[in-house]
Amino acid sequence: MNLADITTVKSILSQPQKIVIVPHKNPDGDAMGACLGLCLFLKEMGQTAHVISPNDYPKFLKWMPGNDEVINFEWENQEAKKLLDEATVIFTLDFNELSRTGQMESVLKEREVDFIMIDHHQQPGDYAKVTYSDVSMSSTCEMVYNFIGYLGYVDSITSDIATNLYTGIMTDTGSFKYRSTSSNTHRVVADLIDKGADNMEIHQQVFDTNSPSRLHLLGVALSNMVILPEYKTAYITLTQAELDQHDFKKGDTEGFVNYGLTLEGIIFALIFIENKDEGIIKISLRSVGDFSVNQFAREHFSGGGHDNAAGGKSDLPMKETIERFNEILKTYKSELNP
Ligand code: 5GP
Ligand code: MN
């Protein structure tokens, strides 16, 4: 964030504001951690602040400090719209195009108030008065920590704020192992532990609350995996019927896509998950090294994200989606075999 932006934010926050904080649709640990961490910080500053999520999120995030006050735009639509109507400032966290909020997009577009974006995805849109965008960052939570620092309030980070920010950094870095994890990420995390984030407890809350049905679904996913050594690619499919048979709950497939990358020689992994309600196949893409899944998702599957982790969708049925994917993959043979 440059000096002019810091001055702008300081000036905005020097007045009492009615603030709404929004994560992307299907928020993950980073999106929720950033929103809840920032919300608790703004309340510490004496501001009025609310988190409105476009839709529901996984149970393994519902223990986070401040979670009970999150408003779900789908389920509490009137209350959410009222807060958005009254808002004087809107923060958008962990995304950079309003379309990433799904149904909320049209409401957000109408609001003529100051937007502040904090985000680490590529190619940010230009809707915000203040755009704090940095694709080199491990997570939006690391940026929220920096943001609080730029305002001069690192000492005001409470253990609840620290817990939220730690959670998001942990989930977005694959527990501090992805390429974007810097020495500075570790310095931030160390300070968050000093400020009261209980690292062992947070890991347990997020990763050790499996249900038997989720583990059985993982078994199905792994046996469905198709490995294409000539393309250094592995992909998983899960149909709606398979999800239904295993009592699928939001978040149950989190992390499944990464198993493909644990195979020796595989650098591109995907999971295709059927969603009959939305009439789409949701796709998660991961890579190691220089192959950009952000570009792949953007060009072929109406998506985007980061170089090594992206998402997208297909409007075709599963069989046709996979056929189309296999055709597209042929054109990447040399890129995947540099
Ligand atoms: P995931 O595969 O875990 O859903 O998402 C991986 C990354 O890609 C995340 O950073 C997420 O924000 C981004 N992402 C997921 N789905 C989409 C999408 O449909 N469009 C865009 N632009 N980004 C996405
Ligand atoms: Mn993120």
Side-chain angles (χ1 to χ4, degrees), residues 30 94 120 172:
D30 188 31
D94 200 37
H120 65 140
D172 247 32

PDB file of all heavy atoms in Angstrom, residues 30 94 120 172, ligand 2:
ATOM      1  N   ASP A  30      -8.779 -18.289   4.383  1.00  0.00           N
ATOM      2  CA  ASP A  30      -8.140 -16.981   4.232  1.00  0.00           C
ATOM      3  C   ASP A  30      -9.186 -15.869   4.158  1.00  0.00           C
ATOM      4  O   ASP A  30      -9.054 -14.834   4.815  1.00  0.00           O
ATOM      5  CB  ASP A  30      -7.262 -16.990   2.973  1.00  0.00           C
ATOM      6  CG  ASP A  30      -6.412 -15.733   2.846  1.00  0.00           C
ATOM      7  OD1 ASP A  30      -6.021 -15.163   3.893  1.00  0.00           O
ATOM      8  OD2 ASP A  30      -6.142 -15.316   1.702  1.00  0.00           O
ATOM      9  N   ASP A  94      -9.893 -10.771  -0.193  1.00  0.00           N
ATOM     10  CA  ASP A  94      -9.514 -12.057  -0.794  1.00  0.00           C
ATOM     11  C   ASP A  94     -10.162 -12.296  -2.157  1.00  0.00           C
ATOM     12  O   ASP A  94     -10.327 -13.430  -2.578  1.00  0.00           O
ATOM     13  CB  ASP A  94      -9.795 -13.227   0.166  1.00  0.00           C
ATOM     14  CG  ASP A  94      -8.990 -14.474  -0.198  1.00  0.00           C
ATOM     15  OD1 ASP A  94      -7.830 -14.330  -0.627  1.00  0.00           O
ATOM     16  OD2 ASP A  94      -9.530 -15.591  -0.069  1.00  0.00           O
ATOM     17  N   HIS A 120      -4.747 -10.684  -2.860  1.00  0.00           N
ATOM     18  CA  HIS A 120      -3.476 -11.169  -3.434  1.00  0.00           C
ATOM     19  C   HIS A 120      -3.662 -11.966  -4.725  1.00  0.00           C
ATOM     20  O   HIS A 120      -2.768 -12.732  -5.093  1.00  0.00           O
ATOM     21  CB  HIS A 120      -2.699 -11.984  -2.389  1.00  0.00           C
ATOM     22  CG  HIS A 120      -3.370 -13.261  -1.964  1.00  0.00           C
ATOM     23  ND1 HIS A 120      -2.663 -14.421  -1.765  1.00  0.00           N
ATOM     24  CD2 HIS A 120      -4.658 -13.559  -1.679  1.00  0.00           C
ATOM     25  CE1 HIS A 120      -3.507 -15.377  -1.381  1.00  0.00           C
ATOM     26  NE2 HIS A 120      -4.720 -14.880  -1.317  1.00  0.00           N
ATOM     27  N   ASP A 172      -4.103 -20.845   3.581  1.00  0.00           N
ATOM     28  CA  ASP A 172      -3.724 -20.430   2.217  1.00  0.00           C
ATOM     29  C   ASP A 172      -2.295 -20.817   1.846  1.00  0.00           C
ATOM     30  O   ASP A 172      -1.941 -20.782   0.676  1.00  0.00           O
ATOM     31  CB  ASP A 172      -3.910 -18.913   2.043  1.00  0.00           C
ATOM     32  CG  ASP A 172      -5.026 -18.603   1.052  1.00  0.00           C
ATOM     33  OD1 ASP A 172      -5.979 -19.397   0.987  1.00  0.00           O
ATOM     34  OD2 ASP A 172      -4.951 -17.579   0.337  1.00  0.00           O
TER      35      ASP A 172
HETATM   36 MN    MN B   2      -6.441 -16.073  -0.275  1.00  0.00          MN
END
